[in-house]
């Protein structure tokens, strides 16, 4: 039997067993539900804030088109409805199905609202009204209103920005944070899962049967690949659903930005997982019972948590600052910070390549060292194995 | 199968200051059931773990058909460790198929073989249950199936009978006997000496990390000092013979211990010369007595 066959058998068992568990299915479903709920909530709030329904009666109905257009230039959306009787329309304003009712003919327009009325909507309406009056008076004075409008449209202040602001900055930040959060979650959850798997084999003693037929490194590699694939599957499912929902509800304009973020996310997930999973597995091989696991995992989990919490704060503050740049190059932090910075578009190519090279070097070193600890410690049951002993031989 | 011999050749192992094995040697041939007995801590489990490559020996060698055992030959060994171990949350069938595949079977062969052993060991109703939901006895059966599922060329079982009910002991004995007669060398350790005596072709007694006696049960029982039971009205004659010691006297019956080399027929002549003899028989020690004898002598000498 080849090593590849042995590793793939172990990986397949890990993958199939984990994907079949109820906790994986429920966990994924819950994350998707939370995500969907958030997106739907966002889009509803978004809709509510930005959309007003205005009833137009009598001569005011001719204002429908200019009103909608003007509103758009103010960044709000107005839906107009022609109403026949003012009385019933007033009742609709009272019960909230209309945000405002406009009656009368220009220039003597009246607006009826329930409470204080929307300031932006009032401004929009005033603008529309003034323009109507202007057009009428220009026509009276014998000047072509279209000509004036064209001349006016050509007059603009010439703005020179010293530090141009990326119009997509907000979206980039959002995507960067989401990517960092997803990687943080995946590394922590699936790293811990590798550790639990190692201890399960050790505490149930099945490892002795396994090691009579496969080598320790084959067992370790198979486990890391199998569980890594489960994590990748979950990451992809969550991302796809997230991207799909966001596009469908127009919460953020993802498009190319989202696709790139997904690709870098997957790359860094793989680098981060191979880096951390081996450390998790080696640490877990030192203990024999699940109860002792927490104590050896805490230092590793803390590194990931610190990378995430500190990194997120620094990233929001100044994504291209020196601290965050240096941290994002270092292997323990890179898998969470670099993809975030890449999604925000602040990581330069040499930084990305350097971070990848350092991560690969770290993976090689950690796999060698972790594999040694694992091979030495995994058959020793009973008391916790000291790290120094496990590194001997 | 060609000449199947498993040889354990002069294996030594120490844990720091503690010597676990000292020049442990024995061999098991095709079709043979070899019983491995010894008190706790004598080195049985260490020997088996080294044979399976789970532990590394400090010196010595394990050979199969004259070649040093490596990972590929080790895959052909069926192993039941002393510390039973299976994935608790994996189904019986999946578990056996997985282990068969890890030992080099194709997926189809693995399925066929797993189903076959499940049926033979009476686990058909439980085949899709998680192992942790089975009774202890059934878990033991799955453990045996795990050692057999890849149709191994050699069987090494550490305490296969411990914790089994009498019915399961019979099933286990039958399976081991069958495996041996199909040409597979079988080694197992046990504390149930009566069982070893009944079942095994050859027995090895281990003490303090070395093999102190090995051979067929008959050889072991007839070797060393032999005993005679004699019934005659007077027994004073016995004390005058060289190399004969009276170790028990009960009315007209006595038990004599003969040093090796003393001819029992000359003892009979001496007895007849002294008076009538109503009973004269050889008393052979049971394996338990032999074991106790060997272990205590070893303990005294070290």
């Amino acid at each position: 039997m080849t090593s590849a066959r042995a590793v793939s058998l172990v990986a397949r068992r890990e993958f199939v067993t984990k994907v079949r568990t109820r906790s994986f299915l429920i966990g994924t479903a819950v994350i998707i539900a939370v995500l969907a709920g958030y997106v739907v909530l966002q889009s509803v709030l978004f809709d509510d804030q930005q959309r007003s329904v205005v009833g137009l009666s009598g001569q005011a109905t001719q204002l429908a088109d200019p009103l909608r257009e003007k509103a758009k230039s103010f960044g709000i959306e107005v839906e107009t409805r022609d109403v026949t009787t003012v009385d019933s329309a007033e009742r609709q304003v009272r019960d909230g199905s209309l945000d405002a009712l406009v009656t009368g003919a220009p220039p003597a327009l009246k607006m009826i609202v329930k409470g204080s009325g929307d300031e932006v909507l009032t401004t929009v309406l005033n603008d529309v009204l003034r323009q109507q009056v202007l057009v009428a008076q220009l026509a009276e004075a014998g000047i072509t209103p279209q000509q004036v409008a064209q001349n006016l449209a050509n007059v603009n202040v010439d703005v020179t920005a010293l530090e141009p602001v990326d119009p997509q900055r907000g979206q980039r930040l959002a995507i960067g944070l989401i990517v960092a959060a997803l990687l943080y979650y995946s590394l922590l959850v699936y790293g811990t899962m590798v550790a639990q798997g190692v201890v399960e084999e050790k505490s149930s003693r099945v490892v002795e049967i396994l090691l009579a037929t496969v080598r320790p490194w084959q067992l370790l590699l198979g486990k890391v690949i199998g569980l890594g694939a489960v994590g990748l599957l979950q990451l992809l499912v969550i991302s796809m659903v997230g991207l799909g929902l966001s596009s469908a509800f127009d919460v953020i304009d993802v498009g190319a930005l989202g696709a790139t973020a997904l690709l870098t996310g997957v790359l860094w997930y793989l680098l981060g997982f191979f880096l951390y999973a081996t450390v998790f597995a080696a640490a877990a091989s030192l203990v024999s019972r699940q109860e002792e696991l927490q104590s050896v995992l805490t230092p590793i989990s803390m590194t990931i948590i610190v990378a995430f919490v500190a990194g997120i704060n620094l990233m929001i503050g100044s994504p291209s600052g020196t601290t965050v740049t240096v941290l994002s190059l270092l292997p323990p932090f890179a898998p969470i910070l670099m993809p975030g910075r890449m999604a925000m578009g602040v990581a330069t190519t040499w930084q990305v390549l350097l971070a990848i090279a350092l991560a690969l070097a770290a993976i090689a070193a950690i796999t060698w060292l972790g594999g040694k600890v694992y091979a030495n410690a995994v058959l020793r049951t009973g008391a916790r194995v000291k790290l120094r002993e496990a590194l001997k031989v | 199968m060609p000449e199947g011999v498993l040889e354990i050749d002069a294996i030594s192992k120490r844990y720091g200051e503690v010597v676990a094995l000292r020049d442990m040697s024995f061999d098991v041939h095709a079709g043979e059931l070899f019983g491995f007995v010894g008190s706790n801590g004598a080195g049985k489990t260490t020997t088996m773990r080294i044979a399976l490559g789970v532990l590394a020996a400090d010196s010595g060698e394990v050979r199969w058909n004259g070649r040093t055992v490596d990972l590929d030959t080790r895959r052909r060994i069926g192993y039941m460790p002393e510390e039973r171990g299976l994935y608790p949350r994996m189904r019986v069938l999946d578990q056996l198929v997985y282990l068969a595949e890890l030992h080099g079977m194709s997926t189809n062969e693995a399925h066929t073989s797993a189903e076959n052993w499940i049926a033979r060991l009476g686990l058909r109703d439980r085949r899709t249950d998680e192992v942790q939901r089975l009774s202890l006895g059934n878990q033991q059966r799955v453990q045996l199936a795990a050692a057999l599922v890849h149709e191994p060329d050699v069987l090494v079982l550490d305490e296969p009978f411990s914790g089994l009910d009498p019915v399961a002991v019979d099933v286990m004995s039958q399976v081991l006997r069958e495996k041996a007669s199909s040409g597979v060398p079988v080694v197992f350790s046990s504390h149930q000496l009566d069982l070893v005596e009944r079942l095994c072709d050859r027995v090895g007694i281990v003490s303090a990390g070395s093999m102190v006696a090995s051979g067929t049960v008959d050889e072991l029982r007839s070797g060393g000092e032999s005993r005679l039971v004699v019934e005659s009205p007077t027994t004073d004659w016995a004390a005058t013979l060289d190399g004969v010691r009276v170790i028990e006297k009960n009315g007209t019956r006595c038990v004599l211990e003969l040093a090796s080399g003393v001819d029992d027929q000359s003892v009979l002549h001496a007895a007849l010369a002294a008076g009538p003899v109503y009973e004269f028989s050889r008393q052979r020690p049971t394996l338990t007595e032999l074991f106790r004898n060997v272990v205590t002598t070893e303990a005294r000498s070290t």
Side-chain angles (χ1 to χ4, degrees), chain A residues 1 5-6 9-10 12-14 20 200-201 204-206 208-215 218 379, chain B residues 49 52 54 71 75 79 81 83-91 94 98 101-103 105 143:
Chain A
M1 191 164 67
R5 162 97 171 143
L9 279 173
V10 176
R12 196 189 64 194
R13 192 203 84 88
E14 296 292 338
R20 259 201 221 148
E200 185 195 28
E201 280 171 359
S204 71
R205 319 274 179 153
V206 73
E208 190 165 341
I209 294 188
L210 300 177
L211 289 186
T213 180
V214 296
R215 296 187 193 284
Q218 295 170 337
L379 277 171
Chain B
R49 284 179 140 191
L52 266 295
V54 171
L71 195 65
R75 280 212 177 96
Y79 178 43
E83 303 273 9
R84 304 293 188 248
L86 294 164
Y87 285 106
R89 278 190 287 274
M90 206 171 171
R91 294 178 193 156
D94 295 346
Y98 175 60
E101 286 184 291
L102 273 190
H103 282 89
M105 277 188 159
Q143 197 81 50

Side-chain angles (χ1 to χ4, degrees), chain B:
Chain B
M1 198 168 54
E3 248 293 85
V5 198
L6 179 72
E7 292 168 274
I8 309 288
D9 188 6
I11 282 178
S12 298
K13 172 84 186 173
R14 16 179 351 133
Y15 294 103
E17 294 295 296
V18 185
V19 177
L21 292 179
R22 195 190 306 131
D23 282 335
M24 168 68 74
S25 297
F26 63 94
D27 44 31
V28 191
H29 297 261
E32 197 173 56
L33 256 172
F34 187 86
F36 208 34
V37 302
S39 43
N40 292 327
K44 304 185 297 282
T45 297
T46 308
T47 306
M48 292 189 173
R49 284 179 140 191
I50 287 172
L52 266 295
V54 171
L55 268 181
D58 297 336
S59 63
E61 199 178 43
V62 181
R63 283 189 297 271
W64 168 239
N65 290 336
R67 285 182 42 225
T68 308
V69 168
D70 59 11
L71 195 65
D72 281 331
T73 34
R74 224 167 254 145
R75 280 212 177 96
R76 302 301 309 140
I77 304 180
Y79 178 43
M80 189 191 262
E82 184 191 28
E83 303 273 9
R84 304 293 188 248
L86 294 164
Y87 285 106
R89 278 190 287 274
M90 206 171 171
R91 294 178 193 156
V92 173
L93 179 64
D94 295 346
Q95 183 128 225
L96 294 177
V97 170
Y98 175 60
L99 289 173
E101 286 184 291
L102 273 190
H103 282 89
M105 277 188 159
S106 74
T107 310
N108 280 343
E109 286 171 339
H111 268 278
T112 315
S113 181
E115 292 281 11
N116 175 29
W117 281 107
I118 283 172
R120 283 212 44 199
L121 297 177
L123 293 163
R124 207 177 263 145
D125 302 340
R126 322 306 309 263
R127 55 201 277 283
T128 55
D129 286 358
E130 287 179 359
V131 170
Q132 62 182 357
R133 300 195 186 283
L134 300 188
S135 66
L136 263 166
N138 277 337
Q139 287 187 15
Q140 291 274 49
R141 288 171 192 233
V142 180
Q143 197 81 50
L144 176 64
L148 295 166
V149 71
H150 56 290
E151 300 297 344
D153 298 337
V154 185
L155 269 180
V156 177
L157 313 170
D158 203 349
E159 300 280 354
F161 292 99
S162 77
L164 294 187
D165 65 41
V167 180
V169 166
D170 288 346
V171 173
M172 178 76 77
S173 313
Q174 199 192 338
V175 169
L176 296 190
R177 216 38 285 177
E178 263 171 48
K179 274 285 153 190
S181 34
S182 73
V184 173
V186 180
V187 192
F188 74 91
S189 66
S190 181
H191 286 304
Q192 282 148 284
L193 298 174
D194 53 327
L195 201 83
V196 174
E197 187 168 0
R198 205 170 62 230
L199 204 59
C200 290
D201 303 307
R202 286 201 304 136
V203 179
I205 301 176
V206 194
S207 178
S210 324
M211 185 67 78
V212 290
S214 77
T216 64
V217 175
D218 274 346
E219 281 167 9
L220 288 179
R221 288 176 58 179
S222 54
E225 297 161 330
S226 54
R227 289 176 182 186
L228 294 173
V229 179
V230 184
E231 185 173 355
S232 72
T234 156
T235 53
D236 299 334
W237 55 270
T240 64
L241 293 171
D242 272 348
V244 176
R245 207 155 59 88
V246 181
I247 55 170
E248 202 183 306
K249 196 166 171 180
N250 193 0
T252 57
R253 284 188 79 190
C254 67
V255 179
L256 307 177
E257 193 176 78
L258 276 62
S260 55
V262 176
D263 182 13
D264 51 9
Q265 295 307 308
S266 60
V267 177
L268 178 59
H269 284 300
L272 284 169
V277 174
Y278 302 109
E279 188 189 334
F280 186 89
S281 63
R282 282 165 66 187
Q283 190 194 47
R284 305 211 307 170
T286 62
L287 187 57
T288 311
E289 283 163 336
L290 269 176
F291 174 73
R292 207 169 280 142
N293 195 18
V294 165
V295 171
T296 46
T297 1
E298 277 294 310
R300 238 181 281 129
S301 68
T302 45

